[in-house]
């Protein structure tokens, strides 16, 4: 009985810590004129969405979060703050707004919270409906994330009235980081479009991306901060299967995806009045680091800090499965088999926020927010 009670107490304490970590946003305010952030995408931006799903794409266990408050594994695929957090921090927030699925389960704070932004991103997901589902189980693809925003949009109208809600949404920043999983699926022959060639597949992905972004525009979004995909052929999960070398076919997808995304955003900005965008080039940002790691403070850019097997890249970062953990996390580019370390995310966020047009164009995120 006693042990049951103390177990229960431990659980309650854990829950309180968890809630505090998830709702940290409520405690911290952005700088006075920081834009409201609505965040979409995959594990690069997920801050706990997948904790609620029947998914194999999860990070709510150690050593994830080892450098987060109380070393708590919130579901972020990182040792600490992920890229969504780091972008939010550039705008003066303490971290990303909480996951939609957390807010949805906390009716008392829901209305107040959505005025401070929402994070819809789901690890393992992609632009196409089926992306990630064979590999990871339940994930929320970008189209469903947009539908979730649509219901939040209704709630904003209820709270603010139609005119103020429209102004509110038009000033907010819509951050999206997605696409890698669509190409991982294609490379694994797990996409629902296996009959397509690479170019056709890319075209289908872009056409679908176009429709998701256009839907957000129709819901009142005007400012889009988009992050294209990194050289995914160089992440430890991939290179560990290729003798430690990057896989060119996947990197070629990353390059092509950036250029077709730029074309589609340009087209949207011609077609849709008031449409503004900033496109971060993760491929160039990352290859710049890979060419000269030490000038950015990195000592290890091939193997993951946490994981198992060759390059720590053959299994995720799971302490319970005896993952090995590096000591100097600030010297590693990769946290786990797919994701950057907190420090690499910070570097990316600083570049997106204030970098030049070789990394983020036609304007950077700070110009997008404050224009
Ligand atoms: C938010 O909007 C959705 C969809 O319109 C609705 O079902 C839900 O009850 C609303 N939530 C709150 C807290 O108002
Ligand atoms: C891809 O999957 C399909 C159907 O499962 C199969 O027929 C085809 O041979 C696979 N292609 C490759 C390259 O593995
Ligand atoms: C982890 O290591 C412990 C102690 O060496 C061992 O008993 C256990 O079987 C290992 N677990 C896994 C999943 O490898
Ligand atoms: C990007 O952002 C910074 C800081 O807001 C701004 O001063 C700068 O002009 C921008 N850089 C470029 C190259 O546009």
């Amino acid at each position: 009985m006693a042990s049951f009670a103390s177990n229960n107490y431990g659980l309650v304490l854990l829950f309180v810590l968890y809630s505090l970590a998830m709702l940290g946003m409520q405690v911290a305010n952005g700088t006075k004129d920081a834009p409201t952030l609505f965040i979409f995408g995959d594990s690069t931006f997920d801050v706990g969405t997948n904790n609620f799903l029947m998914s194999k794409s999860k990070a709510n266990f150690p050593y994830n979060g080892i450098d987060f408050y109380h070393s708590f594994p919130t579901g972020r695929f990182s040792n600490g703050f992920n890229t969504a957090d780091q972008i939010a921090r550039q705008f003066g927030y303490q971290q990303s707004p909480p996951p939609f699925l957390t807010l949805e389960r906390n009716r008392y704070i829901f209305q107040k919270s959505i005025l401070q932004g929402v994070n819809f991103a789901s690890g393992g997901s992609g632009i196409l409906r089926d992306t990630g589902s064979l590999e990871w189980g339940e994930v929320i693809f970008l189209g469903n994330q947009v539908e979730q925003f649509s219901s939040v949009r209704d709630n904003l109208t209820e709270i603010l009235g139609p005119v103020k809600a429209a102004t509110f949404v038009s000033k907010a920043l819509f951050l999206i980081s997605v696409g890698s999983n669509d190409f991982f699926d294609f490379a694994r022959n797990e996409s629902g479009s296996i009959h397509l060639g690479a170019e056709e597949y890319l075209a289908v992905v872009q056409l679908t991306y176009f429709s998701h972004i256009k839907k957000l525009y129709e819901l009142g979004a005007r400012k889009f901060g988009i992050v294209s995909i990194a050289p995914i052929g160089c992440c430890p999960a991939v290179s560990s299967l290729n003798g430690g070398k990057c896989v060119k076919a996947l990197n070629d997808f990353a390059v092509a995806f950036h250029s077709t995304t730029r074309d589609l955003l340009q087209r949207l900005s011609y077609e849709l009045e008031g449409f503004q965008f900033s496109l971060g080039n993760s491929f160039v940002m990352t290859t710049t680091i890979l060419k000269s790691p030490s000038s950015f403070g990195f000592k290890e850019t091939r193997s993951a800090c946490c994981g198992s097997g060759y390059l720590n890249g053959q299994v995720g970062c799971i302490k319970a499965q005896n993952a090995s953990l590096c000591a100097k996390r600030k010297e590693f580019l990769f946290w786990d088999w797919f994701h950057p370390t907190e420090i690499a995310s910070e570097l990316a966020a600083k570049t997106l926020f204030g970098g030049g047009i070789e990394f983020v164009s036609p304007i950077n995120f700070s110009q997008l927010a404050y224009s």
Side-chain angles (χ1 to χ4, degrees), residues 264-295:
L264 103 82
L265 291 170
Q266 259 157 15
R267 193 179 136 200
L268 283 161
S269 67
Y270 294 137
E271 285 178 10
L272 306 174
E273 196 187 333
F275 184 97
Q276 285 179 282
F277 74 92
S278 167
L279 174 62
N281 191 337
S282 298
F283 186 86
V284 169
M285 278 162 40
T286 310
T287 51
T288 303
I289 294 170
L290 292 174
K291 274 177 209 150
S292 174
S294 60
S295 38

Side-chain angles (χ1 to χ4, degrees), residues 104-120:
E104 206 190 23
R105 285 160 175 76
N106 289 267
R107 308 293 284 186
Y108 296 112
I109 54 148
F110 183 84
Q111 295 212 343
K112 182 165 174 265
S113 298
I114 60 172
L115 294 171
Q116 299 178 53
V118 182
N119 185 321
F120 301 90

